[in-house]
Amino acid sequence: MDPLRQPPSPCSPRPSSPRTQSCEMLGYVGIEAVLDQLKIKAMKMGFEFNIMVVGQSGLGKSTMVNTLFKSKMWKSTLPGLGVPTPKTLQLQSVTHVIEEKGVKLKLTVTDTPGFGDQINNDKCLRPLDIEFLQRLCQTVNVVPVIARADSLTIEEREAFRRRIQHNLRTHCIEVYPQKCFDEDINDRILNSKIRERIPFAVVGADREHLVNGRCVLGRKTKWGIIEVENMAHCEFPLLRDLLIRTHLQDLKDITHNIHYENYRVFRLNKSHVLPRGPGWVNLAPGPAPSPASPQATPRTMKVCRWTQDNSDDEC
């Protein structure tokens, strides 16, 4: 057995469970009660979710977050009100606890003030965006959007989406949901539809307006009301469903099991401070790929943990 083991790359398949045989039960045991236990525990402890929004000033990042959670999560700074543009790229975070029907969500939103404010990109991704996304997709789940989509016609919006999709493919930028993480045919069907629409064309608004006798979230213009939750107006419902209603737990799982583990191994490999002995971790770069073999990812490395008697390894 090779004394070294290779950890999962940012887009490697999830480890599959070993095959087990089904066993016929003679009567009721109560295994299903585990679901109730998990629900009770989750209701008590709540959930945590972290989001970082990146983009130029004035794109409506704060409004989009407020619309996403229908809360005043972040106070926006409107241009032209005498407030100076941030001169620092220091990250800014704010944390709130949101409760809905007894379920608590501890939400942390991180902003990146001043990102790319001095660079113009009218047609496609900027070189800064490309380099940033290439690094970021190795560490977190990336979900790109087209902000202020109401400033584009339907034809312009679709053409812009195709250009962004082409840029992402050309520069090997893996955005969420990644194809390699589709676990079954149902995931593949659902996620394929999502991938076709990414980047989502969204409009943010945190004010309600009366339309045909009902209150809707939207933005009022001289042409009428742009309804945020109307698919005929924008794709904000697709973004909300992805981040909250259908894939929130999957986003957390991939972050913890894939991205964080890769980062942890990378830092351990870089530090070289672990002493030899029980639980010693030997970290070494993977072998160079042969010309006939596929290229290895830059962050790939091999790991080995030895048992206390050193008679067996876990590779």
Side-chain angles (χ1 to χ4, degrees):
M1 181 180 296
D2 188 351
L4 296 175
R5 179 179 61 185
Q6 183 175 341
S9 68
C11 202
S12 61
R14 299 179 186 177
S16 58
S17 303
R19 292 186 176 182
T20 56
Q21 296 181 354
S22 60
C23 178
E24 183 179 356
M25 300 179 64
L26 302 179
Y28 178 77
V29 176
I31 299 176
E32 63 178 6
V34 173
L35 297 177
D36 295 330
Q37 298 172 36
L38 292 174
K39 182 178 179 180
I40 293 173
K41 182 178 180 180
M43 294 287 285
K44 288 181 179 179
M45 299 184 61
F47 300 89
E48 294 186 11
F49 195 49
N50 302 322
I51 295 180
M52 181 171 72
V53 289
V54 181
Q56 293 173 262
S57 301
L59 286 181
K61 301 188 298 294
S62 303
T63 303
M64 186 189 72
V65 173
N66 292 340
T67 309
L68 193 62
F69 295 95
K70 295 186 177 180
S71 305
K72 292 292 183 180
M73 289 290 304
W74 201 286
K75 293 182 179 180
S76 59
T77 301
L78 298 177
L81 297 182
V83 181
T85 302
K87 300 298 182 182
T88 176
L89 295 182
Q90 182 177 359
L91 300 181
Q92 300 177 358
S93 298
V94 61
T95 300
H96 289 281
V97 176
I98 303 175
E99 184 171 352
E100 183 181 49
K101 294 183 178 181
V103 180
K104 295 181 180 180
L105 176 67
K106 182 180 179 182
L107 178 67
T108 299
V109 180
T110 301
D111 190 15
T112 53
F115 178 85
D117 283 348
Q118 307 304 319
I119 303 176
N120 181 29
N121 70 319
D122 294 330
K123 301 298 182 181
C124 59
L125 290 177
R126 305 164 292 182
L128 174 64
D129 294 324
I130 293 172
E131 182 178 356
F132 180 75
L133 289 172
Q134 285 176 331
R135 297 188 183 189
L136 202 65
C137 70
Q138 301 291 328
T139 309
V140 298
N141 297 303
V142 175
V143 181
V145 300
I146 300 174
R148 299 176 65 179
D150 55 315
S151 63
L152 302 172
T153 65
I154 299 297
E155 293 76 15
E156 290 172 340
R157 190 174 74 183
E158 293 305 314
F160 189 62
R161 190 202 312 274
R162 289 193 295 270
R163 287 197 297 270
I164 298 298
Q165 291 175 341
H166 175 72
N167 287 159
L168 295 175
R169 290 192 300 267
T170 301
H171 298 283
C172 301
I173 298 173
E174 289 284 344
V175 299
Y176 183 86
Q178 301 90 334
K179 290 183 180 179
C180 52
F181 293 154
D182 294 343
E183 294 183 336
D184 53 40
I185 186 62
N186 294 328
D187 282 351
R188 194 174 303 115
I189 294 174
L190 174 61
N191 292 340
S192 294
K193 294 179 180 179
I194 295 174
R195 285 187 284 264
E196 290 175 359
R197 305 308 303 168
I198 285 180
F200 299 125
V202 301
V203 176
D206 49 12
R207 293 184 180 180
E208 289 187 335
H209 300 272
L210 192 63
V211 177
N212 297 328
R214 59 189 181 92
C215 289
V216 298
L217 275 177
R219 195 149 62 85
K220 187 175 182 179
T221 68
K222 60 182 179 181
W223 298 282
I225 304 296
I226 302 171
E227 299 179 33
V228 170
E229 297 178 308
N230 188 338
M231 281 293 295
H233 294 185
C234 73
E235 297 171 339
F236 184 86
L238 297 179
L239 175 65
R240 177 199 58 204
D241 291 351
L242 175 70
L243 295 182
I244 302 176
R245 300 185 179 182
T246 61
H247 288 69
L248 188 148
Q249 188 58 48
D250 188 62
L251 285 161
K252 292 167 59 69
D253 290 342
I254 291 179
T255 299
H256 182 270
N257 298 330
I258 304 296
H259 294 304
Y260 171 72
E261 286 301 317
N262 285 345
Y263 171 78
R264 186 177 67 87
V265 171
F266 173 75
R267 296 301 299 177
L268 288 173
N269 182 75
K270 192 174 181 179
S271 64
H272 298 291
V273 298
L274 293 178
R276 291 175 178 267
W280 174 63
V281 181
N282 178 31
L283 300 164
S290 63
S293 64
Q295 293 293 325
T297 55
R299 293 180 181 267
T300 299
M301 55 197 72
K302 293 189 173 182
V303 183
C304 180
R305 290 184 181 272
W306 297 90
T307 56
Q308 293 193 9
D309 60 0
N310 288 339
S311 61
D312 259 327
D313 59 63
E314 301 177 7
C315 297

